[in-house]
Structures are given as structure tokens and as C-alpha cells.
Amino acid sequence: MTQSPSRDPLLQPFQLKHLTFKNRLMSTAHEPAYSEDGLPKERYRLYHEEKAKGGIALTMTAGSALVSRDSPAAFGNLHAYRDEIVPWLAELTDACHAHDCKVMIQLTHLGRRTGWNKADWLPVLSASPVREAAHRAFPKEAEEWDIERIVADYASAAQRCQAAGLDGIEFEAYGHLMDAFWSPATNRRDDAFGGSLDNRLRFTWRVIDAVRASVGPDFVVGIRMVADEDSQAGLSRSEGVEIARRLAGSGQIDFLNIVRGRIDTDAALTGVIPITGMRSAPHLDFAGEVREATQIPMFHAARIADVATARHAVAAGKLDMVGMTRPHMADPHIARKVANGLEHRVRPCVGATYCLDRIYEGGEALCIHNAATGREATMPHVIARTEGVPRRVVVVGAGPAGLEAARVAAERGHVVSVLEASGKAGGQLNLATQLPRRRELAGIVDWRLAELEHLGVPIRYDCWAEPSDVLELQPDVVVIATGGLPQSPPLEEGADLVVSSWDILSGAAKPAGSVLLYDDNGGHQGMSAAEAIANAGVTLELLSPERFFAPEMGGMNHVPYMRAFHEAGVRITINTRLIAVRRNGNRLVATLASDYAPGWRDEREVNQIVVEHGTMPNDELYFALKPRSRNWGEVDHAALIGGGRLCPERNPEGRFDLFRIGDAIASRNIHAAIYDGLRYALRV
């Protein structure tokens, strides 16, 4: 039940030293990889400023900002060791302060969590020469002179942050250098920095003392720390909580931000940052226990994805500030909506973790279903009404692309109608959600349906639209969002003998006996079908022509698939192509080939062959309408990207502008479909 704003625990102010946070919502430190040359320029600033406009009380920048040159950026990290960062941080801070939003930054030395072959090619170092699986570098053991240098770097970086007008800093101590000294798994030293807990904390105390000497007693200094590595060889719960007690009792640390788990492998990382289908707020109770044990202000974030859970965290006394980081990528205006009684209109985070997977694969963070996040310079989060005459817009197709186009066009004040061939909205998302652990993705569709209902947009279901169905609505604009249909890979023979991943996920084809699944698309589609087959208890071999399977899917989403494959005994074969299929009695024989050895051939005899090769545009209606359109379907890409008239007039006798979006153009993904829906509809 929604609380009244005056009594809502989330909307109560919180005092931290001299700082007053206007509510309990924060975005914890994370690196969206929007930096330019290691500096938080316009894109970085606008991303945080949007959350400030949306009413958040605290936005924590960087994840993490680097204090030393020999901590090269792993994924777009800010360079806090450079003086040039100060004016850029100041501009960001001033922009957020204008909306009564506090700004802090997270500082770190990455230690072993980076690569040696980056930036200045300096050696990676850690407490001991223990390799981290995720980044694969072999670190040197930090020497005394390294420690002295890095301590001084922390102090000077903190001074830069203070000079920029930031409200505070936070040390990062999970999976990086500082906590590498804490953990028995990564600290094997026999000197003054190893062995006893006192010794393992020596580096941390040196950093804290140096930073306090540089910024003074009043500047806010906290720490985001692991208090239990949840590993037999790692930092135990008892030692982790003891470290938290000592830090809290020192008088030098103003808040704790608690983490539980390890981040040194993809599998471990999903325990710290769960993805869709995994437990909600798994470490919230633990953070509350540490708060009770330390009696210090407590911050925490780990899949607190909805307002109700965040409210409970504060009301139950588990947290003082609630980190809703991925949710604010989905909707940076959560606080404003809660305060205005619009909690039901918050765009939900569905846990897809497209954001983090893109970062770890070398891209920038993008929300799977908010295409404005990270594009604030060109894409609005709040859609303004058109300054022109409202137009009649017909959208054909109610998948993600069509629903987004309809929503945006309606927000702009146009008169919108939607035609959908099936009896249910969602398009290919309805296949994705057939896998039980991915059902949360339905929120992408459900939120848009609720918004369209609020906007009064009708959807006509079970309408396989013909040109006459569209024309009778007398449209000014027609948006073709009819998606695509599954296609087979190019085969020398036997294309009629295979079934598609769609057939498996929809239930049209049941896994039987032994199955070969050939995936040369490399995304969730083939992997979801493979998991469904594995769950059916049949024998499965997953075949990919790539150097590694599912290259279009990031490492965090890789984890649950791989878990299911190991548990079901799935055989995985890479670097191998399916080139032909033939019958052998009531079984099928697959002929396999290699890109690397042209004369090599192999065969598999199985009961069923499943293929995933993306989609072909379902474009029959588009081409039927094209001759009647004003623009003959042409789109001005410069106008699409930079503004202006989207559809040039090529046919004076045409009655409407026509364009297509999403998979109706070419096989892509959910984010691409929604981005199309947003940016095309903005130009109507």
C-alpha cells in the first residue's frame, strides 16, 4: 500500500554529520563508462544530473575513481589522480546541488582487478601475487615503497574531491587493493601487513589517517566494504563484522556501505549483484545486522529493485540510505514519482543487467528498456508535448518497439492506435519469459501497457493488419513494428528438417531424445532455448561457430545458463558450423564443418536439431504501404540522430509518413527496439 508522502519512511530526511539528505534514496557508486579521457564531462554530468532532477537525495559517482597511475581503468574509470578532474567534478556537483542532491565519489586502487596491458603498461599489484580470474593479470606483491606511494595517492585524490565541492568520499574495499590485504585468500604475506587481523588492517589505517590529515575531520568519509566474502578461503563473517566494528569505532569513518560476497569471477559477481531470476535483496538482512553491531549510518545496495523493499529497509531499521542503483537507470525519477503519489508509474528495473554486462564487455552502461539513460543530451526522460498539430499515428505491432513508439507518440499529444496480430502484447518477449527465471522481463511490456492505458491509447488485438486496416484509420503517420520471423542458417540441405529456438520456447516443438542446438546468433535466444531443452531432461549438445559461445551476451547473464548446462550435463562445442542435415531412418544426421580446417568434416546423429539464426523482417505490410506513403519509406538518418524532419517528402500524392522500427528493419535486441521506438516517435 502506498504511504502518504508525509509519513513515508523513504521520504524522511537523514542527517549525516553536517549533511541533510532530503530522503533515503541513493544511487551507489558505479562506473557507467561515460567518461572521456578519464574525466566526467558532459555525458557523465547529465546522467547524474537527471537523477538529481528526479528527486534522489544522494548520487555516488565513479565505480571507482582511480587514485594511482598503476591502477589503470578497467571499464572507463575516472582518473582521480589528475588535477584536471577537479573542474569537471565541480561542474557535476554544482548541477546536482541545484536540485538539492548531494554528490559523493568512490575512490580506489583497483589492485589486481585490472590488466597490465592498459594505459601506461605498469605492473598490476596486490597484497600478494594471487591472480584474479576475471581480469587474468598476475599481480606483483606490493612492496613498502608501493604502499607509501599509494597511501599518498589516496590523500591527494581526496583533496581533489574536496576541492571540487563534493559532499564526501567513499573508499572501495571489495575485490580491490584495500580489502586484498584483509582477506586470507589474497593476503599471504609474512611481514607487517600479513598474518594477524591487526596487520592486515595496517594498510587501511594508513590510508584513513593520510586522508583525514588531508581533508580534515569535517569532510564526510565512508567505506563500501565486504564484511563476509562467503568463501571458505576468504574473509569470514566474524572477521568482516569485526573490521566493520573497528572502522565504526575509530571515529574516522562516517558511514559503512556493506557488501557480501566476492567479485573475482562472473559466477561470484552475480552473488553480489544478482540478476533477473535471482533472489531480491539477498544481503539486506545482513546489512541490518552489521548496522546493529556497529551503530553507524548504514548504506547498502544489492538488487533492492522496488520501492516497497526499499521502504521496508528503512522502516525496519536495516538501512539509513537505500541504494537503488540499477532501478535509477531504469527510472531516474523514482523519488519524484513516490513523492507525487505516482509510485505505480515507476518504470521497473527487471534485473536484465544489460547495463553491467555491457560495461564488462567493453561498452557503456545502457538500460535494457530505458533508452534515454546515458543519452540525456539527446533523449529525454520526460516526454514533452509537440509544439505542432497533433497527428494520427497508427502503430502496427505491440512488441517492445511498437509499444515504446506508441507511448512516446501519445505522450507528445498525438492520437495513437495500435494494431497487434496476436491476442497478447509483447512480441518476442513472450518467448523470453517462457523461461521461468526470466519472467521478470514481462515488466518491460506490463509497464508500457499500463502507460498506454493511462494515456488512453487503444490496442486492437487479433488483427493481422492488411493495408485496408491501416488506411481506414486515416493515418498521418504509420509505424511498422511487426518484428521478425525466425530464419534458418544457410544449409546445403535439410533446412526443412530443423526446428527453431522459437518452436522450443513456444512449446510448438517438444525436446525429444538427443538434441543438437546450433546457435550462430550468439544472444539470449539460443541460450534460452538451450536451457529449456536442458531442463526437459534430454541429452543436449550446444554447437557454436564462434571462439566462445553466446558472444552477444555478457558474462553476468552467462552465469545462470552455464549453471543449468553443467547441472544437466550439456556438451558444448565451439569453432564448429552446421552445414547440412539429412534423415537416417527416424533420426537426423548433422554434417559439421570448420572455418579453420576447410576439409574437416564430422557428423552427429540425433533425434532433433534446433537452430537459432536471428530473424528476418516481417515486412510484407511495410512494402505494401510503401507506394502510398509520402516518403516512400525513406528516413533521413541525420534528422533521426540530430533532429529535424524525419521523413522527406518523395511522393506528393502520398497520404502518410511511413517508417519501420525494431526487428521489422533487421534482427537486433530489446534495447535496440526500444531505442528505435523512442527516437523515431520523438521525430513525429
Side-chain angles (χ1 to χ4, degrees):
M1 181 173 153
T2 303
Q3 301 261 346
S4 68
S6 62
R7 302 179 63 183
D8 191 334
L10 279 182
L11 300 181
Q12 303 311 306
F14 176 66
Q15 193 73 28
L16 178 66
K17 292 184 97 165
H18 60 282
L19 298 178
T20 301
F21 298 109
K22 62 185 177 184
N23 58 51
R24 304 304 184 93
L25 290 173
M26 68 175 291
S27 175
T28 54
H30 60 289
E31 189 47 73
Y34 299 157
S35 63
E36 298 173 51
D37 190 30
L39 302 173
K41 297 185 181 180
E42 182 188 43
R43 186 182 188 191
Y44 207 103
R45 170 178 55 79
L46 292 176
Y47 167 67
H48 285 281
E49 186 179 357
E50 191 68 38
K51 288 181 281 188
K53 290 178 182 177
I56 201 169
L58 168 63
T59 189
M60 191 86 75
T61 62
S64 313
L66 308 171
V67 301
S68 302
R69 292 193 73 96
D70 67 341
S71 175
F75 27 75
N77 306 68
L78 299 182
H79 296 174
Y81 57 82
R82 292 168 55 193
D83 291 341
E84 299 97 312
I85 201 171
V86 174
W88 294 105
L89 284 176
E91 186 177 359
L92 186 157
T93 301
D94 290 346
C96 292
H97 280 174
H99 302 281
D100 191 20
C101 173
K102 304 298 187 287
V103 184
M104 296 189 190
I105 192 169
Q106 186 182 80
L107 298 178
T108 199
H109 189 294
L110 288 167
R112 66 184 189 142
R113 193 166 171 77
T114 186
W116 54 267
N117 57 347
K118 301 172 183 288
D120 299 308
W121 284 54
L122 295 171
V124 171
L125 57 74
S126 188
S128 296
V130 179
R131 190 181 194 229
E132 189 214 46
H135 289 81
R136 298 184 293 279
F138 291 93
K140 66 166 271 192
E141 181 169 294
E143 300 175 62
E144 179 70 34
W145 61 270
D146 289 312
I147 291 171
E148 291 176 1
R149 169 178 56 81
I150 293 168
V151 167
D153 288 344
Y154 267 101
S156 59
Q159 283 183 314
R160 292 183 188 95
C161 298
Q162 187 180 42
L166 288 158
D167 297 293
I169 62 173
E170 171 186 84
F171 302 130
E172 206 276 23
Y174 67 103
H176 291 193
L177 180 61
M178 186 175 284
D179 62 293
F181 282 91
W182 300 356
S183 174
T186 48
N187 187 341
R188 301 174 182 174
R189 304 172 73 106
D190 57 7
D191 61 2
F193 295 91
S196 68
L197 187 58
D198 286 340
N199 283 357
R200 284 180 275 142
L201 284 171
R202 195 178 302 276
F203 172 68
T204 299
W205 291 125
R206 286 194 181 183
V207 170
I208 292 172
D209 290 345
V211 167
R212 274 297 176 202
S214 70
V215 300
D218 298 328
F219 193 59
V220 172
V221 177
I223 184 168
R224 191 172 192 184
M225 60 166 286
V226 59
D228 176 10
E229 286 191 313
D230 195 24
S231 167
Q232 187 173 2
L235 186 72
S236 68
R237 179 189 182 110
S238 60
E239 282 199 326
V241 174
E242 176 59 23
I243 292 171
R245 284 196 188 97
R246 293 189 189 189
L247 292 169
S250 70
Q252 301 281 74
I253 293 294
D254 300 310
F255 66 87
L256 299 181
N257 188 344
I258 289 298
V259 171
R260 185 169 188 262
R262 306 178 345 270
I263 60 173
D264 55 345
T265 66
D266 289 336
L269 183 61
T270 59
V272 175
I273 309 174
I275 69 170
T276 188
M278 295 181 175
R279 183 182 164 196
S280 173
H283 311 308
L284 176 57
D285 289 342
F286 176 62
E289 291 165 10
V290 178
R291 181 180 185 271
E292 185 175 357
T294 58
Q295 297 298 302
I296 191 172
M298 184 62 60
F299 301 178
H300 173 65
R303 202 160 193 245
I304 301 174
D306 59 275
V307 171
T309 302
R311 183 176 290 122
H312 162 73
V314 175
K318 298 179 186 296
L319 302 180
D320 297 290
M321 295 293 292
V322 186
M324 297 185 73
T325 307
R326 283 177 290 175
H328 274 90
M329 298 185 80
D331 191 336
H333 291 214
I334 294 173
R336 178 181 61 79
K337 290 180 179 178
V338 171
N340 292 337
L342 300 173
E343 184 177 323
H344 61 289
R345 295 191 65 189
V346 171
R347 186 189 315 231
C349 173
V350 297
T353 316
Y354 186 65
C355 49
L356 284 169
D357 266 348
R358 284 185 55 83
I359 294 170
Y360 294 136
E361 298 300 318
E364 82 274 53
L366 296 172
C367 174
I368 195 170
H369 79 125
N370 185 350
T373 294
R375 298 188 177 103
E376 285 78 11
T378 56
M379 294 291 114
H381 288 270
V382 178
I383 309 300
R385 292 184 70 83
T386 180
E387 296 178 358
V389 177
R391 308 179 77 188
R392 291 187 299 276
V393 179
V394 175
V395 179
V396 185
L403 292 175
E404 179 71 350
R407 179 189 75 86
V408 175
E411 288 276 16
R412 298 196 68 227
H414 298 303
V415 179
V416 181
S417 301
V418 180
L419 307 179
E420 166 55 36
S422 73
K424 181 180 180 181
Q428 293 178 55
L429 260 173
N430 294 328
L431 294 173
T433 56
Q434 293 305 302
L435 202 62
R437 66 173 183 80
R438 302 191 75 210
R439 284 178 182 160
E440 289 173 81
L441 296 179
I444 296 171
V445 173
D446 293 344
W447 179 76
R448 285 172 173 78
L449 290 177
E451 289 294 292
L452 291 179
E453 183 177 4
H454 170 78
L455 293 164
V457 174
I459 302 178
R460 181 178 162 192
Y461 291 105
D462 297 314
C463 175
W464 188 274
E466 300 288 345
S468 59
D469 297 305
V470 175
L471 296 175
E472 72 180 13
L473 295 172
Q474 298 183 321
D476 300 305
V477 179
V478 177
V479 183
I480 301 298
T482 47
L485 296 172
Q487 61 175 329
S488 289
L491 299 177
E492 295 173 3
E493 63 174 322
D496 59 321
L497 301 177
V498 303
V499 299
S500 72
S501 62
W502 285 33
D503 293 325
I504 294 295
L505 290 170
S506 68
K510 301 294 184 183
S514 56
V515 181
L516 177 71
L517 190 152
Y518 177 65
D519 176 24
D520 67 349
N521 184 10
H524 279 281
Q525 301 92 328
M527 292 302 98
S528 293
E531 185 172 338
I533 294 167
N535 291 343
V538 302
T539 301
L540 172 64
E541 180 178 1
L542 176 60
L543 186 70
S544 171
E546 305 282 352
R547 288 183 294 122
F548 55 94
F549 68 95
E552 294 298 314
M553 187 183 67
M556 295 186 72
N557 273 282
H558 179 95
V559 172
Y561 289 117
M562 200 64 240
R563 181 179 297 125
F565 297 162
H566 275 312
E567 290 173 350
V570 175
R571 177 182 177 183
I572 297 170
T573 302
I574 59 173
N575 297 325
T576 306
R577 288 193 181 276
L578 174 70
I579 62 169
V581 178
R582 69 178 190 276
R583 285 196 181 278
N584 183 21
N586 61 356
R587 286 167 66 82
L588 301 175
V589 177
T591 302
L592 311 182
S594 168
D595 296 344
Y596 308 93
W600 179 87
R601 293 288 185 274
D602 199 3
E603 291 186 343
R604 300 283 192 275
E605 186 170 312
V606 293
N607 295 103
Q608 185 180 57
I609 296 174
V610 181
V611 297
E612 168 53 47
H613 188 69
T615 60
M616 282 291 287
N618 182 20
D619 53 16
E620 182 179 347
L621 179 62
Y622 167 79
F623 283 106
L625 290 170
K626 184 175 175 178
R628 307 188 192 193
S629 68
R630 276 190 291 265
N631 61 321
W632 286 332
E634 182 180 344
V635 171
D636 185 332
H637 284 167
L640 175 65
I641 296 165
R645 181 172 173 78
L646 179 65
C647 298
E649 188 164 328
R650 299 299 188 200
N651 176 19
E653 298 180 1
R655 297 168 53 186
F656 51 85
D657 291 335
L658 172 72
F659 54 84
R660 50 180 172 158
I661 60 177
D663 280 8
I665 301 175
S667 183
R668 289 175 287 167
N669 67 10
I670 295 169
H671 179 87
I674 288 171
Y675 186 25
D676 272 3
L678 172 63
R679 62 178 173 172
Y680 277 80
L682 285 172
R683 301 289 180 253
V684 169

